[in-house]
Amino acid sequence: MSKEFYTQIGTSTSDTEKFRMRGKDVLTEVLGEKSFSETFYLLVTGRDLPQNHIRTFDACMVVLMDHGITPTALVARMVYDSLPEDVQLPMIAGTMMVGNKYAGTMAGAGAIYKAGVTHDGDKREWAAGIVAEYREQKKFIPGYGHPYYSPTDPRADRMFQIAMEGDVRGEYIKLAKILGEEIEKSRGKPLTLNVTGALGAVLNEVGFPVEVMRAVAAVGRSAGLVGHIYEEMQNPIGPAIVDFINNIEYRDPD
Amino acid sequence: MSKEFYTQIGTSTSDTEKFRMRGKDVLTEVLGEKSFSETFYLLVTGRDLPQNHIRTFDACMVVLMDHGITPTALVARMVYDSLPEDVQLPMIAGTMMVGNKYAGTMAGAGAIYKAGVTHDGDKREWAAGIVAEYREQKKFIPGYGHPYYSPTDPRADRMFQIAMEGDVRGEYIKLAKILGEEIEKSRGKPLTLNVTGALGAVLNEVGFPVEVMRAVAAVGRSAGLVGHIYEEMQNPIGPAIVDFINNIEYRDPD
Amino acid sequence: MSKEFYTQIGTSTSDTEKFRMRGKDVLTEVLGEKSFSETFYLLVTGRDLPQNHIRTFDACMVVLMDHGITPTALVARMVYDSLPEDVQLPMIAGTMMVGNKYAGTMAGAGAIYKAGVTHDGDKREWAAGIVAEYREQKKFIPGYGHPYYSPTDPRADRMFQIAMEGDVRGEYIKLAKILGEEIEKSRGKPLTLNVTGALGAVLNEVGFPVEVMRAVAAVGRSAGLVGHIYEEMQNPIGPAIVDFINNIEYRDPD
Amino acid sequence: MSKEFYTQIGTSTSDTEKFRMRGKDVLTEVLGEKSFSETFYLLVTGRDLPQNHIRTFDACMVVLMDHGITPTALVARMVYDSLPEDVQLPMIAGTMMVGNKYAGTMAGAGAIYKAGVTHDGDKREWAAGIVAEYREQKKFIPGYGHPYYSPTDPRADRMFQIAMEGDVRGEYIKLAKILGEEIEKSRGKPLTLNVTGALGAVLNEVGFPVEVMRAVAAVGRSAGLVGHIYEEMQNPIGPAIVDFINNIEYRDPD
């Protein structure tokens, strides 16, 4: 094969001479040395996660791990019932749902903040411009709005607090708040900066790339679904669901 | 709904009064307090991962995260090319492959060791019995054998070392070695205790349940695949693959 | 690439000189000439489906296409709600559930009948042997037993009738009935030959390979789920489900 | 449950009194009476597919069933190698790739033609408007353009021919051609009306809903992938692929 095709992620299984990942020896520099989140960060970015950002990045990985019997958990549990032998299958069935509609807002918000930080001029003017632009296109600004939490989402507040305690520079977080203020100015009342918006800002603070930002939610939720699958093995809700759907009436055409 | 259906994993999204997970307050007792691996362990088992086992469990989560351009990475990269908008989709396509054939050996080995530890009599006799039983059924004992590594798999050695440094009791690890010795006695030459066998033993040492043990591999690989997807965005190998498969000849029937 | 790697399925997209499938010209010998089921049969087996078996094979493809709001339909509908943009995703999420637990019985029954037909001796003795073997291993014989239908499954009866009307040889169907009689003899009461058992026999009659037999169920259900997804777009049951699961109580540990 | 939730697709498995689908008795009015494509059409639309459109709809279902060792076939084959026990899993892994990037053009084209047919004024003016609109937004008009076929895609030509032979009204096909002429006028040279564009028009002609149009491609490809999986069982290309990817070089960071 032409030399132009190569990878910088890791060595292949057929190479027993060395076991490397992103320039490090896996046995001595990764195993026992780095946590899951640190290794994930290294693998994706090719950089070491700074010590002071470990706590923040772990919080990002954890905050969307679970929220009880969500539709993703329901799907994982139902798929488990049909495919009880391969635990990864119910897990991925639920994880596939962490898509554009939900996690997409994370990357959407992250992309807006990233553009804003590189914007040269006045940040408040920039934010007002974004608000005007979305209003004109009649689209929602990703990361703002929540059906239950108002005026703030306590998870977003906590994420910002943890990040600031880790000495991030804070420019994305500041921008997220400015944008929130401009949204409020434009509509006359506040719109909650939600947890996915907060994640868009905080993941930028720790240098995780916008292009795969939503994977943080997907990996976290994958892990969370394992808890549901294990509970379903022992204390199933599947029978309640099946009973419920069996009672949905069939109607012949009118 | 009847009160018999309930969950002990976490509160639902519609409950904004509290945000709990396995009896803990997520905002104050999980976020900023627990790492990804600790939270995953808590969510699945309902117990706190002991401090001295954190390093070991992280090593388990990390050891199968990547191994270069494997078939799982190839699949994730090809799916990314067709579905570039939803990053979780290539991720789950690769992760679904972490199934019976590969990760199944982890749980298989884990189940054998678990049975062995609760076995009352002499452990060496127990091991010899297992060897005889599998030989009679002409089946492989899960966790032993490797196409390249011999006499030991350096990843297995390292996993055991890390676990012992974390003051695990060591009974599953000891059993894994005894079983390896009995296999050697039976066939007249050693058979490598491989990394999935080691994981079966070590995850038992830290109390992770056998029933969802292979999920450790699946969550780890999910994370690893994100690295491949991000690299594919920037330095794709997809075109090399497409070029290769376009040259596979079609033949009319003979 | 070495000449040993080749395909006999079809020409590649990069070949615009010809568009062939299993030795036929797609534009003139497939499009407008063959139905979906005939083309599927050709693609898998490399043989033309005989005219007198078209009706039978279509019935096999159709009989498991739908059964109302099953767990597969529920999963497809929930995944649609999260991923409304890519219709194939809810479809595949439901289809992945057509696995070992359900469709596996089809292939399991099919394999038993296939072995029975090639068996040289007396067929009733062969059947009694199968019954004894499964009884000893405390396993169920795939294709027999139904929670609601007794003594016969009307779908199985109808499948056999259609097949016989198509002049199949009937040897697998006969064997399925003999096996049922031996099961009854052994347990003292009848055990319903169910629709998956019937499919195992009938698909053998039309020469569809046992190894991919359950794909008939998977392709059929894929199509059926599209109906559910389209209905969910217009008359959703998702909100009822979400409402139901939001009421599943969370409990802190005891 | 409140009476407002119901389905019109089919009766549930727990109802053994009747087995109905879209107002028909499955045993007597579907099995043995309707082909796969007819049943699929009925299930999705709630209407019977007219006799003269059966051949056309079958052609739509078949035209994208296979195109040799495509990326979808490669993915199915690789997933089969990891999950050899559950045939539906490699099938769905390949099918998930029939998404926005490829099949999306079908629905995109279909939606444009549907809007055009209900447009009151002059159709050529309408087409010129579409061309201008896409040009201004610097977007491609879905259904036009092909890397190899020019000036026409023989598959599109054949699809139109089959449809016209089935006495469709032809208004969507005519519109597809007018739009192609306006595209040519605008860019000064022709742009091939491709097979997905043709499908968008023809599926409208037979009344298949735009919202799930791309499912026709997904179901068809599902079936086609079964052929690849079965061939992979007998004459695998997997080893060639694994050999190829094992030779992709790993590089430490610069």
Side-chain angles (χ1 to χ4, degrees):
Chain A
M1 168 173 13
S2 154
K3 278 298 172 200
E4 62 189 308
F5 292 106
Y6 64 93
T7 182
Q8 294 194 299
I9 303 289
T11 49
S12 89
T13 40
S14 62
D15 184 350
T16 54
E17 292 302 303
K18 56 184 185 297
F19 184 13
R20 295 185 75 74
M21 179 192 283
R22 287 290 194 184
K24 294 191 197 295
D25 179 69
V26 176
L27 295 181
T28 60
E29 296 178 291
V30 177
L31 282 183
E33 301 300 318
K34 287 186 177 296
S35 74
F36 182 85
S37 297
E38 289 174 277
T39 312
F40 176 45
Y41 187 95
L42 168 69
L43 201 68
V44 172
T45 67
R47 287 176 281 110
D48 284 313
L49 179 63
Q51 278 296 316
N52 58 327
H53 294 170
I54 292 175
R55 185 171 169 250
T56 300
F57 188 58
D58 265 314
C60 292
M61 297 281 295
V62 155
V63 68
L64 298 179
M65 195 182 271
D66 183 63
H67 224 139
I69 312 281
T70 53
T72 55
L74 173 65
V75 163
R77 287 167 179 257
M78 298 311 289
V79 171
Y80 163 73
D81 184 59
S82 285
L83 300 167
E85 291 159 27
D86 264 322
V87 132
Q88 87 282 8
L89 297 174
M91 187 186 101
I92 64 140
T95 302
M96 76 186 283
M97 297 163 78
V98 184
N100 259 331
K101 189 166 168 185
Y102 298 110
T105 53
M106 232 167 108
I112 290 172
Y113 304 144
K114 194 171 182 187
V117 160
T118 59
H119 176 81
D120 263 350
D122 181 76
K123 301 301 185 191
R124 196 161 290 278
E125 276 175 30
W126 165 85
I130 295 286
V131 173
E133 184 189 322
Y134 274 78
R135 171 163 278 214
E136 199 189 300
Q137 295 177 26
K138 290 183 180 151
K139 293 200 302 187
F140 294 109
I141 298 180
Y144 295 85
H146 197 277
Y148 308 118
Y149 292 121
S150 176
T152 66
D153 179 336
R155 298 166 299 173
D157 296 343
R158 180 76 176 130
M159 293 304 296
F160 286 161
Q161 183 190 12
I162 290 168
M164 296 310 290
E165 285 167 8
D167 280 331
V168 298
R169 291 178 54 195
E171 50 191 350
Y172 299 93
I173 293 173
K174 189 184 291 175
L175 218 53
K177 291 179 177 171
I178 290 176
L179 185 55
E181 288 159 15
E182 290 301 315
I183 291 170
E184 179 171 354
K185 207 178 290 175
S186 164
R187 68 199 293 267
K189 56 184 174 178
L191 189 65
T192 308
L193 171 53
N194 63 39
V195 68
T196 59
L199 278 166
V202 172
L203 284 167
N204 263 317
E205 295 285 355
V206 300
F208 198 85
V210 167
E211 292 88 341
V212 288
M213 213 168 243
R214 77 177 75 176
V216 168
V219 172
R221 185 53 59 96
S222 286
L225 291 172
V226 180
H228 286 278
I229 296 162
Y230 187 49
E231 187 178 71
E232 187 70 17
M233 289 177 185
Q234 297 164 310
N235 176 30
I237 63 159
I241 303 292
V242 169
D243 192 53
F244 181 79
I245 62 177
N246 273 342
N247 284 308
I248 295 175
E249 187 195 7
Y250 164 76
R251 293 188 192 167
D252 267 350
D254 316 314
Chain B
M1 169 173 13
S2 154
K3 277 300 172 199
E4 63 189 307
F5 292 104
Y6 64 93
T7 182
Q8 294 193 299
I9 303 289
T11 49
S12 89
T13 40
S14 62
D15 184 350
T16 54
E17 292 303 302
K18 56 184 184 298
F19 183 14
R20 295 185 75 74
M21 177 192 285
R22 288 289 195 183
K24 295 191 196 294
D25 180 70
V26 176
L27 296 181
T28 60
E29 295 179 291
V30 177
L31 282 184
E33 301 300 316
K34 288 186 176 296
S35 74
F36 182 85
S37 296
E38 290 174 278
T39 312
F40 175 46
Y41 186 96
L42 168 68
L43 201 68
V44 172
T45 68
R47 288 176 280 110
D48 283 313
L49 178 63
Q51 278 295 316
N52 59 327
H53 293 170
I54 292 175
R55 185 171 169 250
T56 299
F57 188 58
D58 266 314
C60 292
M61 297 280 296
V62 155
V63 69
L64 298 179
M65 196 184 271
D66 183 63
H67 224 139
I69 312 282
T70 53
T72 56
L74 174 65
V75 163
R77 287 168 180 255
M78 298 309 290
V79 172
Y80 163 73
D81 184 59
S82 286
L83 300 167
E85 290 159 27
D86 262 323
V87 133
Q88 86 282 6
L89 298 174
M91 187 186 101
I92 64 139
T95 302
M96 76 186 282
M97 298 164 78
V98 184
N100 258 331
K101 189 167 169 186
Y102 298 110
T105 53
M106 231 168 108
I112 290 173
Y113 304 144
K114 194 170 183 189
V117 160
T118 58
H119 176 81
D120 262 349
D122 182 76
K123 300 301 185 191
R124 196 161 290 278
E125 276 174 31
W126 165 84
I130 295 286
V131 174
E133 184 190 322
Y134 275 76
R135 172 162 277 214
E136 199 189 299
Q137 295 177 24
K138 290 184 181 150
K139 293 200 301 188
F140 294 110
I141 298 179
Y144 296 85
H146 197 277
Y148 309 118
Y149 292 121
S150 176
T152 66
D153 179 336
R155 298 166 299 173
D157 296 344
R158 180 75 177 131
M159 293 304 296
F160 286 162
Q161 185 190 11
I162 290 168
M164 296 309 290
E165 286 168 7
D167 280 331
V168 298
R169 290 179 55 196
E171 50 191 351
Y172 299 94
I173 293 173
K174 189 184 288 175
L175 218 53
K177 290 179 177 172
I178 289 176
L179 185 54
E181 288 160 14
E182 290 301 313
I183 292 171
E184 179 172 354
K185 207 178 290 176
S186 164
R187 67 197 295 266
K189 55 184 175 180
L191 190 65
T192 307
L193 171 53
N194 63 40
V195 68
T196 59
L199 279 166
V202 171
L203 284 167
N204 263 316
E205 295 285 356
V206 300
F208 198 85
V210 168
E211 292 88 339
V212 288
M213 214 169 242
R214 77 178 74 178
V216 169
V219 172
R221 186 53 59 94
S222 286
L225 290 173
V226 180
H228 285 277
I229 296 161
Y230 188 49
E231 187 178 71
E232 188 70 16
M233 290 177 184
Q234 297 164 310
N235 176 30
I237 64 159
I241 304 291
V242 169
D243 192 52
F244 181 79
I245 63 177
N246 273 342
N247 283 308
I248 295 175
E249 186 194 7
Y250 164 76
R251 292 186 191 167
D252 267 351
D254 315 314
Chain C
M1 167 178 8
S2 153
K3 278 298 171 198
E4 62 189 309
F5 292 104
Y6 64 92
T7 182
Q8 294 194 298
I9 303 290
T11 49
S12 88
T13 41
S14 62
D15 184 350
T16 53
E17 292 302 303
K18 56 182 183 300
F19 183 15
R20 294 185 77 73
M21 178 192 283
R22 289 290 195 183
K24 293 191 197 296
D25 180 69
V26 176
L27 296 181
T28 60
E29 295 178 291
V30 177
L31 283 183
E33 301 300 316
K34 287 185 176 295
S35 74
F36 182 85
S37 298
E38 289 174 278
T39 313
F40 175 45
Y41 187 95
L42 168 69
L43 202 67
V44 172
T45 67
R47 287 176 280 111
D48 282 313
L49 179 62
Q51 279 295 315
N52 59 326
H53 294 171
I54 292 175
R55 184 171 169 248
T56 300
F57 188 57
D58 266 313
C60 292
M61 297 281 295
V62 155
V63 68
L64 299 179
M65 195 183 271
D66 184 62
H67 224 139
I69 312 282
T70 54
T72 56
L74 173 66
V75 163
R77 287 167 179 257
M78 297 310 290
V79 171
Y80 164 73
D81 184 58
S82 285
L83 300 168
E85 290 159 29
D86 263 322
V87 132
Q88 87 281 7
L89 298 174
M91 187 186 100
I92 64 139
T95 303
M96 76 186 282
M97 298 164 78
V98 183
N100 259 330
K101 189 167 169 185
Y102 298 110
T105 52
M106 231 168 108
I112 290 172
Y113 304 144
K114 193 171 183 186
V117 160
T118 60
H119 176 81
D120 262 350
D122 181 77
K123 301 300 186 191
R124 195 161 290 278
E125 276 174 30
W126 164 84
I130 295 286
V131 173
E133 185 189 320
Y134 274 78
R135 171 163 276 213
E136 198 190 301
Q137 295 178 26
K138 291 182 179 153
K139 292 200 300 189
F140 294 109
I141 298 179
Y144 295 85
H146 197 278
Y148 309 118
Y149 292 120
S150 179
T152 66
D153 179 336
R155 298 167 298 173
D157 296 342
R158 179 75 177 129
M159 292 305 296
F160 287 162
Q161 184 191 10
I162 291 168
M164 296 310 289
E165 286 167 8
D167 280 330
V168 298
R169 291 179 54 196
E171 50 191 351
Y172 300 94
I173 293 172
K174 188 184 291 175
L175 218 53
K177 290 179 177 171
I178 291 176
L179 185 54
E181 288 159 15
E182 290 302 313
I183 292 171
E184 178 171 355
K185 206 177 291 176
S186 164
R187 67 198 295 264
K189 56 184 173 180
L191 190 65
T192 307
L193 172 52
N194 62 40
V195 69
T196 60
L199 279 166
V202 173
L203 285 167
N204 263 315
E205 296 285 356
V206 299
F208 198 85
V210 168
E211 293 88 339
V212 288
M213 214 168 242
R214 77 177 75 175
V216 169
V219 172
R221 186 53 58 95
S222 286
L225 291 172
V226 179
H228 286 278
I229 296 162
Y230 188 49
E231 187 179 71
E232 187 70 17
M233 291 177 183
Q234 297 164 309
N235 176 30
I237 64 159
I241 304 291
V242 169
D243 192 53
F244 181 79
I245 63 178
N246 273 342
N247 283 308
I248 295 175
E249 186 194 10
Y250 164 76
R251 293 187 190 167
D252 267 351
D254 315 314
Chain D
M1 168 176 8
S2 153
K3 279 297 172 199
E4 62 189 309
F5 293 104
Y6 64 93
T7 181
Q8 295 193 299
I9 303 290
T11 50
S12 88
T13 41
S14 63
D15 184 350
T16 53
E17 293 303 303
K18 57 182 183 297
F19 183 14
R20 295 185 75 74
M21 177 192 284
R22 288 291 194 183
K24 293 190 197 297
D25 180 68
V26 175
L27 296 181
T28 60
E29 295 178 290
V30 177
L31 283 183
E33 301 300 316
K34 287 185 176 295
S35 74
F36 182 84
S37 297
E38 289 174 278
T39 313
F40 175 45
Y41 187 95
L42 168 69
L43 202 67
V44 172
T45 67
R47 286 176 281 111
D48 283 312
L49 178 63
Q51 279 295 315
N52 59 327
H53 293 171
I54 292 176
R55 185 171 169 250
T56 300
F57 188 58
D58 265 314
C60 292
M61 297 281 295
V62 155
V63 68
L64 299 179
M65 196 184 271
D66 183 63
H67 225 139
I69 312 282
T70 53
T72 55
L74 174 65
V75 162
R77 286 167 180 256
M78 298 309 290
V79 171
Y80 164 73
D81 184 59
S82 286
L83 300 167
E85 290 159 28
D86 262 323
V87 133
Q88 87 283 8
L89 298 174
M91 187 186 100
I92 64 139
T95 303
M96 76 187 283
M97 298 164 75
V98 184
N100 257 332
K101 190 168 169 184
Y102 298 110
T105 52
M106 230 167 110
I112 289 172
Y113 304 143
K114 194 170 184 188
V117 160
T118 59
H119 176 83
D120 263 348
D122 181 77
K123 302 300 185 190
R124 196 161 289 277
E125 275 174 31
W126 164 85
I130 295 286
V131 173
E133 184 189 321
Y134 275 76
R135 172 163 275 214
E136 197 190 302
Q137 295 178 26
K138 290 179 182 157
K139 292 199 300 187
F140 294 107
I141 297 179
Y144 296 85
H146 197 278
Y148 309 117
Y149 292 121
S150 176
T152 66
D153 179 335
R155 298 168 297 174
D157 295 342
R158 180 75 176 129
M159 293 304 297
F160 286 162
Q161 183 190 11
I162 291 168
M164 296 310 290
E165 286 168 8
D167 279 330
V168 299
R169 293 179 53 198
E171 50 192 350
Y172 300 93
I173 293 173
K174 189 184 289 176
L175 218 53
K177 291 178 177 171
I178 291 175
L179 185 54
E181 288 159 14
E182 289 301 313
I183 292 170
E184 179 172 354
K185 207 178 290 176
S186 164
R187 68 198 292 267
K189 56 183 174 179
L191 190 65
T192 308
L193 171 53
N194 62 40
V195 68
T196 59
L199 279 166
V202 172
L203 285 167
N204 263 316
E205 295 285 356
V206 299
F208 198 84
V210 167
E211 293 88 339
V212 289
M213 214 169 242
R214 76 177 75 177
V216 169
V219 172
R221 187 52 59 94
S222 286
L225 291 172
V226 179
H228 287 277
I229 296 162
Y230 188 48
E231 187 179 70
E232 188 70 17
M233 290 177 183
Q234 297 164 310
N235 176 30
I237 64 159
I241 304 290
V242 170
D243 192 53
F244 182 79
I245 63 178
N246 273 342
N247 283 308
I248 294 175
E249 187 195 6
Y250 164 76
R251 292 186 191 167
D252 268 351
D254 315 314

